[in-house]
Amino acid sequence: MKARTSVIAVDVGNSAVKVLVWKSGHRNTSAGEDVPHRTFALAEDNWQTALCDWVDAQTQNGAMDWLVCTVNRSASDPLEQTVLHHFYRQSGGATTWQAFRYDDVPMIVAVDFPERLGLDRLMGAFAASTQYPGSLVVVDVGSAVTVDFVSRDALGKAVFQGGASLPGIRLQREALTSGTE
């Protein structure tokens, strides 16, 4: 009998880590079923341990597949070590960590240097493209404000065309208050 696996979806950004726990046995959430999720600020002391403790409380032991999207290796690399140390022995070796790359996203990426593209932008564009059938502009507001364009090829497949990344609201406010009288 295969152990029931929980999927831990992780988005490691520049200022916070967002985590969602998909427990084995969850049905489609469109009926309003709550999926546990939480945000951990990177500025908080011991955020990695707090994250592991929270996930532990949500999953109550067992196999876990960690699926990770990161734009911040200086936060995700130590988190990986903490997660594997915390859960690997406890799960009987049934804890995995998969950090996604741009070529893991099932979308055509039509930019010159796709390996330099923030994976959060690509994931957001892909998610939006699954919800809307035509071309679209995707705007995300966080530590940065990103504006990206997604077109469709002749077969209707989504094509990430690139876009722009601007300072987020906090960075804009700091620049205005420190650079003006």
Side-chain angles (χ1 to χ4, degrees):
M1 172 189 262
K2 185 178 181 206
R4 295 174 78 70
T5 302
S6 295
V7 175
I8 316 303
V10 183
D11 176 10
V12 182
N14 290 307
S15 59
V17 177
K18 296 175 269 288
V19 184
L20 179 139
V21 176
W22 184 266
K23 299 176 194 172
S24 56
H26 261 140
R27 298 177 312 280
N28 186 338
T29 60
S30 61
E33 183 179 2
D34 187 34
V35 177
H37 59 281
R38 185 165 167 196
T39 300
F40 296 85
L42 295 179
E44 292 177 18
D45 290 335
N46 302 314
W47 66 267
Q48 296 143 325
T49 302
L51 185 153
C52 287
D53 290 345
W54 180 80
V55 168
D56 207 9
Q58 303 306 310
T59 59
Q60 301 160 350
N61 298 329
M64 292 179 213
D65 292 329
W66 291 70
L67 305 178
V68 183
C69 173
T70 184
V71 296
N72 185 347
R73 290 274 179 218
S74 66
S76 62
D77 288 348
L79 176 60
E80 178 181 8
Q81 296 306 310
T82 303
V83 163
L84 294 177
H85 177 76
H86 188 94
F87 292 108
Y88 190 78
R89 184 174 294 142
Q90 169 181 308
S91 68
T95 295
T96 63
W97 178 278
Q98 179 184 353
F100 287 100
R101 295 172 19 99
Y102 77 91
D103 51 1
D104 292 322
V105 181
M107 171 182 230
I108 299 167
V109 181
V111 298
D112 291 337
F113 301 100
E115 66 280 356
R116 295 183 189 170
L117 177 63
L119 195 55
D120 55 340
R121 293 172 61 188
L122 188 57
M123 290 285 203
F126 173 71
S129 76
T130 66
Q131 300 299 308
Y132 301 97
S135 296
L136 57 141
V137 173
V138 180
V139 179
D140 183 38
V141 179
S143 297
V145 175
T146 59
V147 181
D148 294 307
F149 178 61
V150 177
S151 65
R152 299 287 173 168
D153 68 7
L155 299 174
K157 187 167 171 98
V159 180
F160 183 88
Q161 297 288 352
S165 183
L166 309 163
I169 303 299
R170 182 180 53 83
L171 291 173
Q172 290 179 32
R173 184 177 60 240
E174 287 173 4
L176 280 174
T177 58
S178 68
T180 60
E181 290 184 30

